[in-house]
Amino acid sequence: MPRTRKRRGIPGSVTRRGNKWAYAFDGPADPLTGERNRIRKSGFESEDEAWEKMAEAQAKLREGQLTKPSKRTVTQFFEEWFPKMRTSIGSPTTANNYETLARAYVIPVIGKKRLQDIDAITVASLYEHLLNSGRRRRDTNGEMFRIWQEVTGRGDEISARQLARQVGVTHDAAYKAMRRFRAGRTPTDATNGLSKKTVRSVHIMLRSAFADAVTWKYVPTNPVAAVKAPSPENRGHRTWTPAELRRFLTAVQSDRLYAMWLLLATTGMRRSEVAGLRLDGLDLDNGALAVKATRVVTNGKVRQGFGKSRRSRRRLSLDKATVAALLTHVEMIQAEKATWADAYQDHGLVFCWEDGRPIYPDTITEWLARIADRLGLPHLTLHELRHTYATTALRAGVHPKIVSTRLGHATVAFTLDLYTADIPELDQAAAQEISNLFVGTPGFGTDAMEVTLEAA
């Protein structure tokens, strides 16, 4: 039968369990129920060791460093963390990405391990596994391309329905894939491992999750903080040249949403910002608009948002051509409202269908790809159109701070880190301008050097 010992002046007790000893004492009250948490630990060789370790634990508790021993697994922690994380992260897109990364790449690998057993070595090993063999999803795009390539290579044809049936995807997915293949947009061979960029995203998510685990006293320290994330290679961004962008804008002048395409080109707004732009955010009399609402796609569903960060919610000045296009667009919206009358679904959006229904953001991406294919332009995503704006503005000599503010970036340093590799001529120009301040033109100082040599 266990023997319990107490010592005067020391809260808690020590109990003998077989050949080992254990301690127990009351921890802080539960913040919701008010009940005291009993803190226990066993496995000590002697009674004195148990008393000594209990005293150390109580000291850590007073300093706010004690974590209660727990069998909570990584999976159990994440299931607890997901709903709380969604309330603390302002961006629904970021919250959804965090949960997707955890469910796809962390829980399947280390989900059964105890949370308190995760250390820096475990985290580093997880990253190595993901880089080498972390890919879990089928490469259905690659499968469709190989089938399509084989069939067309022998001079036959395959329908989207047949392709969808063979690969096990929807008819719409197969139809869009075939359109991409015909336009020359073919997939690259998928590897077994994840990209460094994806693993770095896992690292950012894990660091945030374990920071909360430390705050909640589930673990004493953040093991992710001791691990360096993989550094993706900065290969630059795909962009259009000014001539290619001009060709695109000329081709879409008769498009019902020409003002949207021009706005994307002249401001670098995000897709979510354009899709969520509201009529009450326009101040065309003063040539400006307010970016304050977004429409983002998470798990296939559109959610209303308020930007990625405080700096995302900003006021943008507009050029005269964009103001004129928006004025014409707003007049068209008012005319459509009058035509549809009570059937008009007024959501207050600047860019919508003729009856006021919101446009699904992914549809805008598909439109851009379709127009680029028709014109024979390099294929860009809408985010790469944003990169085009940024690099064009920096090349034009716009101050980086202004470019950063207009893009809604957190800092100008982030903007420069993101785009310096895309614009090497800026670095070359800076080198020459600085040199001109004290060296001057080629040959500067030659006469002085010759005089010095003669004197020697």
Side-chain angles (χ1 to χ4, degrees), residues 333-410:
I333 293 290
Q334 298 303 328
E336 289 173 347
K337 283 184 180 181
T339 300
W340 284 83
D342 292 341
Y344 190 84
Q345 301 180 31
D346 195 348
H347 293 270
L349 296 173
V350 175
F351 303 113
C352 54
W353 296 104
E354 291 88 341
D355 61 355
R357 286 177 298 121
I359 299 172
Y360 189 65
D362 286 353
T363 301
I364 303 174
T365 301
E366 293 171 10
W367 285 341
L368 176 63
R370 199 176 305 171
I371 296 168
D373 288 343
R374 189 177 75 237
L375 298 176
L377 291 171
H379 176 252
L380 294 187
T381 64
L382 280 166
H383 207 71
E384 287 166 339
L385 192 58
R386 175 175 162 86
H387 294 326
T388 298
Y389 166 82
T391 54
T392 302
L394 290 170
R395 282 193 171 99
V398 179
H399 195 284
K401 174 62 177 176
I402 301 299
V403 176
S404 180
T405 300
R406 288 180 64 81
L407 290 172
H409 284 166

Side-chain angles (χ1 to χ4, degrees), residues 119-134:
D119 55 16
I121 297 298
T122 305
V123 176
S125 299
L126 171 66
Y127 294 170
E128 182 180 10
H129 166 77
L130 294 178
L131 288 169
N132 293 328
S133 55

Side-chain angles (χ1 to χ4, degrees), residues 299-318:
N299 289 330
K301 296 182 179 180
V302 178
R303 295 185 182 183
Q304 304 295 326
F306 300 97
K308 295 183 68 176
S309 65
R310 180 180 59 82
R311 291 184 181 271
S312 295
R313 299 182 285 277
R314 61 202 185 278
R315 181 179 173 84
L316 283 175
S317 296
L318 304 173

Side-chain angles (χ1 to χ4, degrees), residues 17 55 78 84 90 116 123 126 139 143 177 192 211 214 233 236 242 255 284 289 316 325 336 369 445 452:
R17 298 179 182 277
F78 272 114
K84 296 179 180 179
Q116 294 181 347
V123 176
L126 171 66
D139 180 22
E143 290 179 33
N192 292 327
V214 171
E233 297 178 5
D255 193 294
L284 300 181
L289 60 80
L316 283 175
E336 289 173 347
T452 303

Side-chain angles (χ1 to χ4, degrees), residues 269-277 291 293-294 312 314 386:
M269 289 174 65
R270 300 177 177 91
R271 182 185 76 172
S272 60
E273 295 170 343
V274 169
L277 183 62
V291 180
T294 59
S312 295
R314 61 202 185 278
R386 175 175 162 86

